[in-house]
C-alpha cells in the first residue's frame, strides 16, 4: 500500500513542527482536541482507484471516502477532505494541515515508529497483475527479462526494488505517478506487468475481466490503517473504537462489498509481512 520513506527529512520536519507549535498563538489543534471543533480533517491523495479518486463529475469517491464519512458519523463529527499529492501527504500531517491521513496507508514497522496508527480497517497485500493475452507471472522470479510497472514510493514499488536485488531478477521497474497511468501502459503493452495492492488489482480486473488477471499469490501482508501524528494517541483510540463499531454494525462489510465485491474488512491478519 502507499508509503513514504522516512529519514532525516522527517526528523527535521518533526523538529520544525515542534518549534512552530512552541511559537503558535494556539490556533492549531492539539492531540487532546483534534476532534473538539466537530471536524475531522483528512488528507487524501485522490488518484488511487478504487480507494480515493475523482469520478466523472469530479466528486471525491472511493472506499476510503465512504469509510471516512462513516467514521466521522460514528464519531459525531463532520469529515472534511484535503487532496494532497502523495509525496507531500506525511509532511502535511506533521505540519498540522489536517488531523489524519485516510488514504490507503499501509501499516509498516517503519511507519509505526514515526506515526500513531489505528487498528487496521481493511486487509491488504501486494500482487502481480498480468494481461490475459500473455503468459501469467505467478512469482517475482518469473519477471526475468520483463518490464514491471509500479506507483512510485508505494510499498509495491519499494518491495519490487528490494526483490529485484534479493532474488537477482533482471526486471525493469517503470515508475508511474498513479495506477491509472500504470494500467494504461499495461493495456497498451508498454509494460508487461503491474505490481500493486490487492484491492486496487481486484478493482481493475473487475473493470476489465477480459484484459487483466491477478496472476500471483499475495506477496505481503500490510493492512491499512488511519495515520495520525505520533502524539495523537488519544484520538487514535477514538478511531479504534469507531472502527470496531462499524465492523460490528456491518457498515464496513457493506462498503467493502460495494468497492471490492467481497468483504476485506473481517478477520484481518495483523501480523505484518512487509518487504522494505
Amino acid at each position: 500500500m502507499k508509503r513514504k520513506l522516512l529519514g532525516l527529512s522527517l526528523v527535521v520536519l518533526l523538529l520544525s513542527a515542534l518549534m512552530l507549535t512552541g511559537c503558535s498563538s494556539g490556533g492549531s489543534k492539539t492531540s487532546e482536541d483534534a476532534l473538539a471543533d466537530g471536524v475531522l480533517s483528512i488528507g487524501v491523495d485522490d488518484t488511487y482507484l478504487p480507494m480515493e479518486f475523482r469520478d466523472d463529475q469530479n466528486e471525491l469517491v472511493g472506499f476510503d471516502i465512504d469509510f471516512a464519512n462513516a467514521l466521522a458519523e460514528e464519531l459525531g463529527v463532520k469529515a472534511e477532505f484535503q487532496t494532497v499529492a502523495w509525496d507531500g501527504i506525511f509532511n502535511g500531517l506533521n505540519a498540522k494541515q489536517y488531523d489524519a491521513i485516510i488514504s490507503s496507508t499501509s501499516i509498516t514497522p517503519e511507519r509505526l515508529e514515526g506515526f500513531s496508527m489505528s487498528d487496521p480497517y481493511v486487509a491488504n497485500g501486494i500482487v502481480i497483475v498480468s494481461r490475459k493475452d500473455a503468459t501469467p507471472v505467478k512469482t517475482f522470479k518469473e519477471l526475468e527479462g520483463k518490464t514491471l510497472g509500479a506507483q512510485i514510493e508505494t510499498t509495491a514499488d519499494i518491495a519490487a526494488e528490494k526483490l529485484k536485488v534479493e532474488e537477482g531478477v533482471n526486471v525493469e521497474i517503470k515508475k508511474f505517478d498513479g495506477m491509472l497511468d500504470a494500467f494504461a501502459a499495461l493495456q497498451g503493452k508498454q509494460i508487461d506487468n503491474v505490481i500493486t495492492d490487492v484491492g486496487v488489482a481486484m478493482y481493475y480486473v473487475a473493470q476489465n475481466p477480459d484484459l487483466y488477471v491477478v496472476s500471483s499469490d499475495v506477496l505481503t501482508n500490510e493492512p491499512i490503517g488511519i495515520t495520525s501524528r505520533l502524539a495523537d494517541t488519544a484520538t487514535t483510540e477514538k478511531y479504534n473504537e469507531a472502527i470496531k463499531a462499524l465492523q460490528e454494525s456491518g457498515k464496513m462489510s457493506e462498503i467493502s462489498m460495494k468497492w471490492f465485491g467481497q468483504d476485506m474488512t473481517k478477520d484481518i491478519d495483523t501480523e505484518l509481512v512487509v518487504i522494505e
Side-chain angles (χ1 to χ4, degrees):
M1 197 42 94
K2 298 177 183 174
R3 71 176 289 202
K4 185 76 169 64
L5 290 178
L6 306 176
L8 181 61
S9 60
L10 176 58
V11 174
V12 172
L13 203 100
L14 285 169
L15 291 173
S16 298
L18 288 170
M19 291 174 65
L20 287 171
T21 301
C23 297
S24 172
S25 61
S28 298
K29 297 182 181 182
T30 68
S31 60
E32 290 79 17
D33 69 357
L35 304 176
D37 60 355
V39 175
L40 172 56
S41 178
I42 303 162
V44 296
D45 168 19
D46 60 350
T47 65
Y48 205 64
L49 290 80
M51 305 303 287
E52 43 270 333
F53 64 101
R54 298 281 176 176
D55 64 12
D56 293 339
Q57 287 73 49
N58 201 38
E59 295 292 328
L60 192 59
V61 296
F63 175 93
D64 276 332
I65 307 307
D66 286 354
F67 163 65
N69 282 317
L71 179 81
E73 183 176 356
E74 183 67 31
L75 291 166
V77 297
K78 178 184 177 182
E80 289 186 354
F81 299 95
Q82 296 189 42
T83 55
V84 188
W86 182 248
D87 60 3
I89 201 165
F90 293 97
N91 291 350
L93 177 65
N94 282 323
K96 298 188 178 182
Q97 294 173 8
Y98 29 83
D99 303 322
I101 299 170
I102 302 180
S103 190
S104 311
T105 312
S106 294
I107 300 172
T108 69
E110 184 179 26
R111 185 162 292 129
L112 286 169
E113 292 182 2
F115 297 93
S116 176
M117 297 210 67
S118 74
D119 295 336
Y121 60 85
V122 62
N124 181 60
I126 59 174
V127 293
I128 298 170
V129 179
S130 302
R131 286 194 311 274
K132 276 197 169 180
D133 63 357
T135 302
V137 169
K138 297 180 181 179
T139 67
F140 197 86
K141 283 186 176 295
E142 292 176 11
L143 290 167
E144 179 70 28
K146 298 181 181 294
T147 51
L148 178 68
Q151 182 169 339
I152 191 168
E153 293 188 349
T154 59
T155 53
D157 178 25
I158 302 303
E161 289 288 0
K162 186 155 189 178
L163 288 171
K164 175 181 178 179
V165 175
E166 286 184 348
E167 300 193 11
V169 179
N170 179 26
V171 56
E172 181 183 359
I173 301 171
K174 292 195 173 183
K175 319 277 186 173
F176 294 89
D177 290 332
M179 293 314 302
L180 272 172
D181 294 335
F183 275 93
L186 181 61
Q187 181 176 0
K189 300 185 178 181
Q190 298 164 343
I191 57 176
D192 301 312
N193 297 93
V194 161
I195 188 167
T196 189
D197 296 324
V198 63
V200 174
M202 288 165 52
Y203 178 81
Y204 279 92
V205 170
Q207 298 299 307
N208 296 280
D210 296 328
L211 184 59
Y212 306 126
V213 61
V214 176
S215 54
S216 74
D217 291 334
V218 181
L219 305 177
T220 61
N221 185 55
E222 45 188 74
I224 298 168
I226 302 168
T227 310
S228 302
R229 291 177 290 274
L230 193 59
D232 291 355
T233 54
T235 309
T236 296
E237 283 306 310
K238 293 181 181 179
Y239 297 152
N240 289 340
E241 292 171 6
I243 289 169
K244 184 177 180 181
L246 292 171
Q247 289 170 332
E248 292 176 347
S249 71
K251 184 63 177 180
M252 293 303 299
S253 298
E254 175 189 326
I255 297 171
S256 184
M257 292 300 297
K258 173 183 176 180
W259 291 103
F260 305 130
Q262 62 179 276
D263 193 353
M264 296 173 61
T265 65
K266 285 184 179 177
D267 302 319
I268 300 171
D269 185 357
T270 59
E271 185 175 349
L272 302 181
V273 180
V274 181
I275 303 169
E276 59 181 9

